[in-house]
Amino acid sequence: MSDWRPKLIVSDLDGTLLRNDETISDATLAELHRWADDGVPLVLATGRPPRWMLGVRDRLGGGTAICCNGAVLLDLGEFQVLEEHPVQPEVLRQITGRLREHQPDTWFAVEYGDQFRHEPIYRPRWDRDAPGVAVATLAEMVAQPVAKLLARHERMGRDQFVALVAEVVGDTATVTYSSSDAMAEISAVGITKATGLARLAAERGLTAADIVYFGDMPNDLAAFDWVREGGGRAVAMAHAHPDVLAAATDVTDSNDAEGVAVLLASLRA
């Protein structure tokens, strides 16, 4: 694959394209522009909701983003939701009831549209006092479809808690995580970054073999598997989760060392 060149660049945001200060370097932007000038666009694939994409849109100027781990397809330029695959209320009630029964100190929050709702005891890490963020009861939160359900525990270890959530949820929904905290991200059954990417690629007449995908956390694993098994390049950042490193076809430098730009430049050499 030494002369292989992608037709689509896909990147996770936090810990991957973004540096730890949540900026995109000028060198990385310049490299992305070189590829765009050659007809190879960038697609973002992130766990972030659309409301967290405005700053990224301002820096990149447009493009397409797969948000909420595959549940939402967003046109960054128009800032318009093109497609959404939410978790339905009956599933939300079932999941939250089972989790509360198995681990009573599990607290919930939900993402829908440009709004974020959380239980009074749930402690947001990044959304305190932000627009669209409010406290709600669990009954209120599960009364309408949501792009993503978040389950958090303040005392259990991350891996132990996520394993518990996955066991309790079973095949009712899709469970993943991308945080160092004990927080599980729950999407509609079968919805992952891979399903969002596969739909987007098909619309553009592309396959996995045409894609280079960059990521660092377990919510990237489904996309890594889809791209790798289809003949594309699944690139892990140097600091990536061990499971992501094990699933990668390539490893690049860290996000703070502009690993995305480093690998892309090597493909042009």
Side-chain angles (χ1 to χ4, degrees):
M1 297 179 69
S2 59
D3 60 348
W4 180 85
R5 290 171 63 89
K7 296 179 182 177
L8 185 67
I9 298 164
V10 185
S11 181
D12 172 52
L13 276 176
D14 298 285
T16 303
L17 188 66
L18 298 183
R19 295 178 292 191
N20 290 336
D21 63 1
E22 297 194 7
T23 63
I24 305 173
S25 73
D26 290 340
T28 296
L29 280 176
E31 185 62 31
L32 292 171
H33 288 322
R34 292 185 192 101
W35 283 93
D37 289 344
D38 286 340
V40 182
L42 169 70
V43 166
L44 302 176
T46 178
R48 288 187 177 204
R51 61 194 177 85
W52 279 13
M53 300 299 290
L54 282 168
V56 175
R57 188 272 305 272
D58 293 343
R59 189 72 166 123
L60 293 175
T64 305
I66 299 162
C67 296
C68 291
N69 294 325
V72 177
L73 183 63
L74 179 69
D75 180 324
L76 284 172
E78 298 294 327
F79 217 75
Q80 178 181 359
V81 172
L82 303 174
E83 188 176 304
E84 189 169 9
H85 299 270
V87 189
Q88 298 299 322
E90 59 271 21
V91 177
L92 293 169
R93 288 190 287 267
Q94 181 179 355
I95 289 173
T96 54
R98 287 179 180 175
L99 285 172
R100 188 61 56 79
E101 178 183 351
H102 280 78
Q103 183 48 256
D105 291 333
T106 300
W107 311 114
F108 299 102
V110 294
E111 294 277 4
Y112 40 74
D114 59 354
Q115 302 292 306
F116 179 78
R117 296 290 182 269
H118 62 92
E119 291 186 282
I121 200 167
Y122 181 105
R123 289 184 281 176
R125 302 299 198 260
W126 307 281
D127 279 315
R128 292 185 292 270
D129 302 319
V133 176
V135 171
T137 67
L138 182 58
E140 290 170 335
M141 290 191 298
V142 302
Q144 60 181 300
V146 306
K148 184 165 65 170
L149 170 67
L150 302 175
R152 183 190 292 283
H153 201 285
E154 296 293 346
R155 294 189 306 278
M156 290 181 69
R158 180 191 66 185
D159 293 348
Q160 179 187 11
F161 179 65
V162 172
L164 170 68
V165 172
E167 180 179 358
V168 171
V169 170
D171 59 4
T172 306
T174 301
V175 178
T176 188
Y177 67 99
S178 59
S179 171
S180 59
D181 296 335
M183 185 176 73
E185 303 169 43
I186 303 168
S187 303
V189 62
I191 296 300
T192 65
K193 289 186 182 183
T195 59
L197 179 54
R199 291 193 302 272
L200 184 63
E203 290 173 0
R204 300 183 180 200
L206 302 175
T207 70
D210 299 314
I211 295 170
V212 58
Y213 184 103
F214 296 89
D216 73 314
M217 287 297 285
N219 64 334
D220 293 306
L221 281 172
F224 262 48
D225 291 345
W226 183 75
V227 170
R228 185 192 65 248
E229 291 167 5
R233 304 280 281 271
V235 185
M237 312 307 288
H239 59 275
H241 187 283
D243 291 347
V244 176
L245 289 167
T249 61
D250 303 82
V251 177
T252 189
D253 295 345
S254 72
N255 59 326
D256 273 345
E258 301 169 346
V260 171
V262 169
L263 194 284
L264 289 175
S266 75
L267 295 178
R268 288 192 299 105

